Amino acid sequence: MTSLYLRWGGMLIVAIVLTGLTYSHYQQHLATLSPSQAKAQGLNQEVRVLGMVRGGTLEGNVEGGDATFALVEKDSTISVRYHGPPPDNLRELKTLVLIGKWNASDNIFEARDIGLVTNYGFVVGAYLIGLIPLAIFLFAMSRRVGLLYEEIKTSKLYQEE
Amino acid sequence: MIIHRVIRKVQRFQGWFGGGAALCIIAGLYIGLIGSPPDYYQGEVVRIMYVHVPLAHTSLFAYIVLSIGSMWYLWKRDPIVDNMCHAVAAIGAIFTTLALATGMIWGKPTWNTWWTWDARLTSYTIMLMILIGYLMLRTFIDDSEKEARYAAVLAILGLVDLPIIHFSVEWWRTLHQPQSISMRGVSISSGILIPLMCMSIGMSLLFSYMLMVRTQLLYLDRLLHAKKGRLMSQFHMSKTDP
């Protein structure tokens, strides 16, 4: 039984390491800021900002990939200048992720690309629901096999026939 | 018997199946969650595929094993094969339930619904019902030989559902996407195919490992039961002897 617990302990450690790696990867590359956070940070580095295009503010050559609009989330708003590849999903009242930098001198967010809004809850939920019951089921079975062996051995029920 | 020799030989490599499954699943999870690119249309949600599709494939494979085992049992009346079929049904039911659950989670962001009476989903749910029915049947009948025979017949009858599941996306217009990997070729990019293959191989190995453990479990359970029963009857015999 000790080897069973050791094996499962090892698996648990690997699972925790994998979860940590995935979490840090998503935090570094895919986490988004709100418009107010992007404005407050004001860093000259590329960030991802999540928000909705306010109705009636979208102007410029949208099909050509050159547009200005206001991005809103709850009660914070920022002005955005988009200059990048022709977007598929840039329209009014659309929630999207903008990739770009905050320009403090012009007080405007300069976006170079548009990403899809990621619903991580579904991905996390699917992995947890898909893998955890399997692991619990397998652990319970392996443990029961070990216990049955011990029971047979200690009760001296097994005899060569 | 040839089947006993095969089972004994395969059981000897049980640890390799478990280790191989763990390695493939860990590699698949790492590549799938971190290394692979997001999909152009679905974005990050496409990563649900790496857990949903292998679960679904393995559940279908489990049903094939169950049907072949049931045919073998009806032909040879081998209790070890019946034991294996009993084990496959429980594991297959778990894989089918999890594939349905992860499919529902994938359906919400992509189809905007948790559930629809789509041909693929409905036929797949019927397979789950057959597996649950199989397990219930084995619980309700007292005579073990009758139980094994009826259960084997049910499993073989349920085999009709398998081609319906497989071809449902071609026979009917469904919300479920058609097969990406078929005899006609592969229609997904290598960045997505590699983690998918890793996870599929890992799940198949995991299923084999689970099958070995569960077959062992059922065998030991029956052995203990039989031995206890024999001891009890010996005890009673000694008490009633004049």
Side-chain angles (χ1 to χ4, degrees), chain B residues 167-182:
Chain B
F167 293 109
S168 57
V169 286
E170 290 178 20
W171 290 345
W172 294 284
R173 187 174 292 176
T174 63
L175 256 181
H176 197 283
Q177 68 180 68
Q179 283 148 41
S180 306
I181 304 167
S182 67

Side-chain angles (χ1 to χ4, degrees), chain A residues 7 14 18 26 30 88 116 118 122 126-127 129-131 134 137 141 144 148-149 151-152 157 161, chain B residues 26 29 33 40 43-44 47 50 98 102 105 108 209-210 214 216-217 221 224 227-228 230-231:
Chain A
R7 257 183 288 148
V14 172
L18 202 60
Y26 279 69
L30 296 164
D88 290 336
L116 287 169
T118 307
F122 289 110
Y127 276 83
I129 286 177
L131 298 175
L134 274 184
F137 185 58
M141 281 196 308
R144 178 101 180 102
L148 280 173
Y149 266 125
E151 195 177 344
I152 288 170
L157 285 171
E161 292 187 18
Chain B
I26 290 166
L29 284 175
L33 287 171
Y40 180 74
E44 301 292 333
R47 296 184 200 280
Y50 305 130
L98 296 180
T102 50
I105 296 171
K108 183 61 183 165
Y209 180 69
M210 286 173 97
R214 187 146 187 92
Q216 224 172 328
L217 170 66
D221 215 22
L224 195 66
K227 293 275 181 186
K228 272 184 180 168
R230 201 178 297 167
L231 279 183

Side-chain angles (χ1 to χ4, degrees), chain B residues 3 22 33 35 42 77 100 128 146 196 236 238:
Chain B
I3 193 82
L33 287 171
Q42 294 186 39
R77 300 295 161 120
L100 270 177
L128 177 63
K146 242 187 206 174
L196 188 61
H236 282 294
S238 63

